[in-house]
Amino acid sequence: MDPPRTGSPYQPAIEALESHPEKKFYNVSKLGGAKYDTLPYSIRVLFESSVRNCDGFLVKETDAMNILDWKTKQNHVEVPFCPARVVLQDFTGIPAMVDFAAMREAVRNAGGDPVKVNPACPTDLTVDHSLQIDFSKCAIQNAPNPGGGEQKPLARLSPLKPPLRKPPPCRGHSGCRGPCEAGRSPGPFPAQIENTPILCPFHLQPVPEPETVLKNQEMEFGRNRERLQFFKWSSKVFENVSIIPPETGTAHQVNLEYLSRVVFDVKDFLHPDSVVGTDSHTTMVNGLGILGWGVGGIEAEAAMLGMPLTLPLPEVVGCELTGTVSPFATSIDIVLSITKHLRQADVAGKFVEFFGSGVSQLSVADRTTIANMCPEYGAILSFFPVDNVTLKHLKHAGFDKAKLEVTEAYLKAVKLFRNYESSSREPEYSQVVQVSLSSIIPYVSGPKRSQDRVAVNNMKSDFQACLNEKSGVKGFQIAAEKQNDIVPVQYEGNEYKLSHGCVVIAAVISCTNNCNPSVMLAAGLLAKKAVEAGLEVKPYIRTSLSPGSGMVTHYLSSSGVLPYLSKLGFEVVGYGCSTCVGNTAPLPEAIRNAIKQGDLVACGVLSGTKNFEGRLCDCVRANYLASPPLVVAYAIAGTVHIDFDTEPLGTGFNGKSIYLRDIWPTRQELHTVEEERVISSMFKELKEKMEKGNKRWNLLEAPESTLFPWDLKSTYIRCPSFFDKLAKEAAPPRAVENAHVLLFLGDSVTTDHISPAGSIARSSAAAKYLTSKGLTPREFNSYGARRGNDAVMTRGTFANIKLLNKFIGKPAPKTIHFPSGQTLDVFEAAELYQKEGIPVIILAGKKYGLGSSRDWAAKGPFLLGVKAVLAESYEKVHRSQLIGIGIAPLQFRPGENPSTLGLTGREQFSILFPPDLLPRMTLDVKTSTGKVFSVIALFENSMEITLYKNGGSLNFVARRFL
């Protein structure tokens, strides 16, 4: 975003940063006075944005004052918000960039300079939604061919494939079938991050990418070549646009780890970082003190155009964290407990902001995970103001010293830096939810169902109760005289004693922990301390380690804990589902026989998701789900029949008893290793990938012309017709005369009903179009992939098979073309109306436009020729989207609807829009039967009326370049 707009009434509030006088900023803390000091930090960011972007039209002085008066105005006014940047993924990014390309052409045709057409807001587009799994292999190598017959080799790989090295076969592990070299050189383990070359699971030495990865990547570039070429053209010609190519990372990962600024520095002018994104994980950045949330494609495009987003001034729920975290509580325990409290507090549609002495105990990884859980408890965002923990993280994330100094000084100057040691008063909140971290204790689940939670400190007594209880959901009904039975067993030349509760399977699986791999790191650090203390795991216990993703492998390898896990028997077995689906190796025969002989209740402990009785092994009756470090702890103890507080795990060197508290890693130890060794190397890896790109992307050719050379044969990229009537001056709103009703709909019509999504049905209008272009059904791809082609998307509008049109009387994507009486696909009927020059409208009931925001839920009806929607009520976001594309949202008066007015929908309708249209003005509607009734024009302010008169926000912005 550019430096402060000229003519802003708040120019006198601009000051120089004391420690860096060359840096300027709006000192909103002085501007707001005492009221500012009581504002929640998240509202302070909204206030700064309104002050900096105040231009008297899009953002007014009254908007800034309303935000400053948040305490009394919350939930009573709508306010504008101009984010500092926009993050897109490719499915939502393609139509936005196509619109900008079309706008360039329209501006040129109208006599303007197309080079001036660029997004006003910095925009980062991550191509991360185009990969499809066309090829796969079983995670277990050398599996038999289930189909029988000769197995055909995969097709020849692309010439872009790097030449395969042929290192000597692995000789260091009997189970390794990868071509890595045995052993490893001294020094830190090599790091692996998602989408980097595969490492041998047993020695973490790089091996060539498997054919499946290369083939899927080749298919991705082949299938989406047109889209990728368009994206590359966009990155070359548009200012303020950055394209993150395929195979770099997911949108939220890149946003969090690379794109986040925390404080923007534009031409030596400072302001807070803030973001809206079309990815549901956008809220993760709240954990870095960056205000951000997820939006639909049309809102993101509006922000790109320089238009503010409007939102009701929200309530802010303060979540106070107090107390001290239990030494044995993991990050996942904390995250899930806080999520549970917020869900019970009813924070839906509100901001959540964290404060209290307990916040400083949470790492940035903890905070981003909590913020990422927003959809689980319904909040718009969950904000953690920047503090010393954040600054320490940013240092390891690659911020240089000078940038950190400026960041800290600016945030303190505008009172956006949280200092928990300061005596300054806390902000005032709409309500406060208290969460005592001391109350969060570790749990396990079992022994038969995942919903049966057991506090770890009650584990021994609970297992004893299960032995006594009748057979059922928890009980095993073991006779009292047999509960202390011990069965000796010989295994590998040594005698061991098995009893009820003995652990025979222990599996560390990260499938539920990928969002915060620190719990896997905790398991590794515990293993390290255990080995150094002289503890061991009994050899008959089936131990395994399945990291689950490259990110988890990165945590484990860069921290150097894998050798210690291996020493305890937790060797990497692969990256697919294994133990929790029953794919564990059989127990040694001697152990199986001993369990059956003594009718013992043997146990499995794993960090997966499923623990049904007998699932892991038919002779293992009790199965517990636990965090990864607890899995390692129970494996060392060899039993679940233990009280960790009073009983030792085992005997270490010199016969010393070792308790769990002696080897459990502290949160400080965990955070130190995570920040200093893991995070720093992870950000370094990502930065290198961002700077180098990838080979396929680098070799991809793309035009460099100012205007995009549209390919008329393309079925992916097409110039849309939004600007066909663009002129320098907007025409006054035209009356809708003798319009037919395209669709007569009921209540709760969702954006799923309106906007195309998912696969393209073979009988649909979109399929007919693609077939006419010579494509086979196999080549149709999805609506999401073809969002850059308005011909496909318009044909998909109202193509949902569950659409209930009252003209048809049953669910079907059909309607009646009244002049001819034909029943047709919705698109075909709309096309006929347009050829005949007849406008169309939509009649609907309550809550029209429910559901997730979709740009084509407004764009599609507009291109079908819909001039207005008459509904009983609207979903608020969809109402604004209709205005943003140039469709009038009209509302029946209270107590009226098509039924009470006696409308059949077969009439023709005429609506007059006066030149002096006002917000919520009453308009008369005349029908061909002579009936006249009134509706409310649902424009909430003068800006919305201006956008409507201009034919929507796209045309409004385009005229600025003429």
Side-chain angles (χ1 to χ4, degrees):
M1 185 118 354
D2 292 332
R5 303 180 183 187
T6 57
S8 168
Y10 297 111
Q11 291 279 356
I14 296 177
E15 293 184 4
L17 192 64
E18 185 175 346
S19 58
H20 296 77
E22 73 280 6
K23 307 291 184 183
K24 303 293 190 295
F25 68 102
Y26 277 106
N27 195 336
V28 287
S29 63
K30 290 185 179 179
L31 186 65
K35 284 185 178 180
Y36 182 86
D37 293 342
T38 65
L39 292 178
Y41 286 75
S42 51
I43 300 299
R44 296 178 194 184
V45 178
L46 290 182
F47 179 61
E48 192 281 339
S49 173
S50 67
V51 167
R52 176 167 39 88
N53 291 287
C54 184
D55 62 357
F57 175 59
L58 296 176
V59 182
K60 301 177 181 178
E61 284 187 76
T62 53
D63 295 321
M65 292 302 102
N66 281 338
I67 296 174
L68 190 61
D69 289 333
W70 169 82
K71 186 175 180 180
T72 58
K73 295 293 180 65
Q74 56 184 293
N75 269 344
H76 296 304
V77 295
E78 289 199 342
V79 295
F81 173 61
C82 298
R85 57 189 174 93
V86 175
V87 172
L88 306 171
Q89 38 90 341
D90 45 320
F91 271 16
T92 50
I94 189 78
M97 297 315 303
V98 165
D99 288 347
F100 273 95
M103 189 186 296
R104 279 198 163 196
E105 192 143 319
V107 168
R108 190 276 310 269
N109 293 340
D113 182 1
V115 176
K116 295 180 179 178
V117 177
N118 296 288
C121 185
T123 301
D124 300 291
L125 191 154
T126 303
V127 185
D128 71 333
H129 277 55
S130 59
L131 178 64
Q132 295 182 25
I133 307 303
D134 295 282
F135 297 92
S136 62
K137 286 183 178 179
C138 180
I140 302 174
Q141 298 294 316
N142 297 339
N145 179 11
E150 183 181 354
Q151 288 181 300
K152 297 180 180 180
L154 289 172
R156 187 178 179 182
L157 297 180
S158 162
L160 290 177
K161 175 184 174 181
L164 295 180
R165 300 184 300 277
K166 195 174 182 181
C170 175
R171 295 177 296 276
H173 192 284
S174 60
C176 181
R177 296 183 176 88
C180 74
E181 297 181 17
R184 60 178 299 274
S185 57
F189 275 76
Q192 180 179 348
I193 199 168
E194 290 181 6
N195 304 312
T196 56
I198 302 300
L199 304 181
C200 163
F202 299 104
H203 306 106
L204 299 182
Q205 298 297 301
V207 299
E209 289 183 287
E211 281 190 319
T212 52
V213 175
L214 291 169
K215 287 294 291 180
N216 282 318
Q217 291 173 356
E218 181 183 346
M219 288 293 291
E220 176 181 8
F221 271 79
R223 176 187 290 115
N224 299 289
R225 189 174 189 83
E226 288 182 46
R227 297 168 61 239
L228 295 176
Q229 286 178 321
F230 175 76
F231 283 140
K232 194 160 188 180
W233 170 81
S234 299
S235 68
K236 289 181 178 181
V237 303
F238 285 116
E239 297 176 7
N240 272 343
V241 172
S242 174
I243 305 293
I244 292 87
E247 305 169 30
T248 303
T250 58
H252 57 279
Q253 174 196 359
V254 174
N255 182 29
L256 182 69
E257 299 168 8
Y258 185 80
L259 302 176
S260 295
R261 281 84 151 176
V262 182
V263 171
F264 258 75
D265 186 343
V266 183
K267 299 177 182 178
D268 284 335
F269 198 90
L270 306 176
H271 63 84
D273 188 2
S274 58
V275 62
V276 293
T278 58
D279 184 89
S280 60
H281 302 283
T282 303
T283 52
M284 288 180 75
V285 298
N286 299 160
L288 280 175
I290 298 170
L291 198 73
W293 63 89
V295 296
I298 207 161
E299 292 94 344
E301 192 168 341
M304 292 169 67
L305 292 165
M307 308 289 293
L309 307 180
T310 57
L311 70 157
L313 190 58
E315 294 181 41
V316 182
V317 177
C319 185
E320 183 179 14
L321 303 182
T322 61
T324 303
V325 179
S326 163
F328 300 128
T330 67
S331 294
I332 298 301
D333 293 323
I334 296 168
V335 169
L336 293 181
S337 180
I338 292 174
T339 298
K340 178 182 177 182
H341 278 85
L342 290 175
R343 189 186 294 119
Q344 293 172 341
D346 186 23
V347 297
K350 304 173 185 177
F351 283 11
V352 173
E353 186 168 297
F354 290 86
F355 72 103
S357 58
V359 175
S360 59
Q361 299 175 55
L362 302 183
S363 69
V364 168
D366 296 334
R367 300 175 186 191
T368 55
T369 308
I370 292 168
N372 189 44
M373 297 291 280
C374 274
E376 293 295 321
Y377 44 84
I380 298 174
L381 55 83
S382 288
F383 194 68
F384 288 86
V386 175
D387 59 9
N388 287 322
V389 173
T390 318
L391 293 181
K392 185 177 179 181
H393 171 85
L394 295 176
K395 178 182 178 181
H396 297 301
F399 276 44
D400 60 43
K401 184 179 180 181
K403 186 175 181 179
L404 274 175
E405 288 177 353
V406 170
T407 297
E408 182 176 1
Y410 167 72
L411 292 174
K412 287 181 176 178
V414 293
K415 298 182 179 179
L416 285 174
F417 185 86
R418 170 88 79 174
N419 186 350
Y420 293 102
E421 298 175 358
S422 170
S423 58
S424 59
R425 63 180 293 189
E426 291 291 351
E428 296 180 3
Y429 294 105
S430 308
Q431 69 180 93
V432 172
V433 175
Q434 290 187 325
V435 178
S436 171
L437 297 180
S438 305
S439 67
I440 301 174
I441 58 175
Y443 283 86
V444 297
S445 295
K448 300 181 181 182
R449 303 187 307 174
S450 57
Q451 63 264 42
D452 295 326
R453 301 179 72 206
V454 183
V456 171
N457 56 6
N458 293 331
M459 181 65 161
K460 183 173 184 177
S461 58
D462 188 84
F463 181 77
Q464 187 65 47
C466 291
L467 294 180
N468 290 319
E469 201 170 313
K470 290 183 179 180
S471 294
V473 294
K474 285 198 70 171
F476 297 104
Q477 200 169 350
I478 303 298
E481 64 273 14
K482 293 186 176 183
Q483 291 179 11
N484 296 319
D485 286 358
I486 294 176
V487 180
V489 60
Q490 289 288 326
Y491 182 72
E492 294 185 348
N494 294 306
E495 182 177 278
Y496 300 94
K497 296 178 180 179
L498 303 184
S499 60
H500 293 293
C502 61
V503 174
V504 293
I505 295 175
V508 174
I509 306 166
S510 75
C511 57
T512 59
N513 302 308
N514 286 331
C515 61
N516 190 335
S518 62
V519 288
M520 296 291 280
L521 181 58
L525 291 176
L526 185 143
K528 179 177 183 293
K529 287 189 170 187
V531 170
E532 291 172 344
L535 296 178
E536 297 177 342
V537 172
K538 296 177 177 64
Y540 61 79
I541 299 176
R542 279 286 181 252
T543 51
S544 60
L545 169 63
S546 178
S549 78
M551 180 65 71
V552 178
T553 306
H554 179 92
Y555 265 65
L556 298 179
S557 58
S558 63
S559 60
V561 299
L562 272 172
Y564 300 98
L565 285 163
S566 180
K567 182 76 172 175
L568 293 180
F570 291 95
E571 293 190 333
V572 179
V573 296
Y575 294 85
C577 289
S578 52
T579 307
C580 59
V581 294
N583 290 347
T584 188
L587 296 178
E589 186 174 353
I591 303 301
R592 291 172 60 90
N593 290 339
I595 292 172
K596 292 180 179 178
Q597 174 190 336
D599 192 27
L600 298 178
V601 179
C603 300
V605 186
L606 68 154
S607 60
T609 58
K610 301 175 178 68
N611 63 336
F612 307 127
E613 184 176 9
R615 186 183 188 103
L616 305 188
C617 179
D618 59 2
C619 63
V620 178
R621 286 192 274 171
N623 298 298
Y624 289 92
L625 304 181
S627 66
L630 281 175
V631 172
V632 177
Y634 279 115
I636 295 170
T639 180
V640 300
H641 201 232
I642 181 175
D643 182 342
F644 285 138
D645 290 335
T646 61
E647 298 176 60
L649 291 173
T651 303
F653 296 127
N654 302 322
K656 180 182 177 182
S657 294
I658 307 297
Y659 291 82
L660 181 59
R661 58 180 173 270
D662 299 325
I663 63 170
W664 191 274
T666 66
R667 291 185 63 78
Q668 185 58 48
E669 288 175 316
L670 191 61
H671 292 171
T672 299
V673 173
E674 189 174 41
E675 290 286 349
E676 295 182 1
R677 298 184 62 178
V678 179
I679 299 296
S680 58
S681 61
M682 185 168 69
F683 278 84
K684 182 180 178 182
E685 292 275 352
L686 182 59
K687 184 178 180 181
E688 289 176 356
K689 288 176 64 180
M690 293 290 293
E691 292 173 351
K692 292 179 181 178
N694 66 66
K695 194 169 184 178
R696 284 185 176 83
W697 177 261
N698 294 339
L699 292 177
L700 186 68
E701 295 181 356
E704 299 186 11
S705 54
T706 300
L707 301 178
F708 185 71
W710 306 99
D711 181 359
L712 298 180
K713 297 180 181 179
S714 173
T715 57
Y716 278 100
I717 308 292
R718 217 176 84 115
C719 185
S721 55
F722 299 126
F723 305 99
D724 284 357
K725 298 179 181 179
L726 180 67
K728 190 168 185 177
E729 298 296 332
R734 295 176 58 184
V736 177
E737 297 181 350
N738 299 316
H740 271 296
V741 176
L742 181 64
L743 291 161
F744 190 177
L745 306 172
D747 297 339
S748 302
V749 173
T750 70
T751 51
D752 280 337
H753 292 117
I754 305 168
S755 176
S759 60
I760 298 173
R762 296 190 179 192
S763 60
S764 66
K768 295 173 187 175
Y769 166 79
L770 293 173
T771 301
S772 73
K773 297 294 183 180
L775 273 64
T776 64
R778 182 179 177 82
E779 299 170 307
F780 286 173
N781 212 323
S782 65
Y783 282 115
R786 296 190 181 276
R787 289 174 77 161
N789 185 327
D790 64 310
V792 172
M793 300 303 289
T794 306
R795 285 166 171 80
T797 303
F798 294 113
N800 191 312
I801 59 173
K802 295 184 179 180
L803 180 74
L804 183 56
N805 181 5
K806 294 184 179 182
F807 293 149
I808 305 301
K810 62 180 180 180
K814 302 284 184 180
T815 195
I816 297 175
H817 175 251
F818 288 106
S820 67
Q822 299 179 80
T823 297
L824 302 169
D825 286 337
V826 175
F827 170 79
E828 292 171 344
E831 188 177 39
L832 273 180
Y833 281 126
Q834 288 184 332
K835 287 179 180 178
E836 296 161 347
I838 301 174
V840 293
I841 63 172
I842 291 173
L843 294 182
K846 299 181 180 71
K847 299 180 181 179
Y848 180 77
L850 277 175
S852 59
S853 171
R854 288 191 183 153
D855 53 345
W856 277 103
K859 289 178 176 178
F862 175 81
L863 293 179
L864 288 176
V866 174
K867 303 301 180 185
V869 177
L870 279 68
E872 291 183 67
S873 63
Y874 292 84
E875 197 281 330
K876 185 176 294 186
V877 172
H878 187 65
R879 180 203 64 83
S880 65
Q881 290 177 344
L882 292 175
I883 297 169
I885 200 63
I887 296 175
L890 308 178
Q891 183 173 348
F892 292 106
R893 292 189 302 184
E896 294 184 347
N897 57 47
S899 178
T900 62
L901 293 170
L903 302 176
T904 66
R906 298 173 180 269
E907 307 91 344
Q908 287 182 271
F909 295 76
S910 296
I911 309 164
L912 177 65
F913 292 91
D916 55 346
L917 186 62
L918 297 173
R920 303 189 72 86
M921 176 179 274
T922 299
L923 305 178
D924 287 336
V925 180
K926 299 178 181 179
T927 72
S928 54
T929 61
K931 182 182 292 292
V932 178
F933 61 94
S934 297
V935 293
I936 302 167
L938 275 191
F939 302 102
E940 299 295 346
N941 50 56
S942 58
M943 188 183 81
E944 289 188 345
I945 291 175
T946 299
L947 292 180
Y948 176 72
K949 288 181 176 180
N950 275 271
S953 56
L954 289 172
N955 283 275
F956 171 76
V957 172
R959 287 191 174 92
R960 290 185 162 190
F961 299 112
L962 299 180

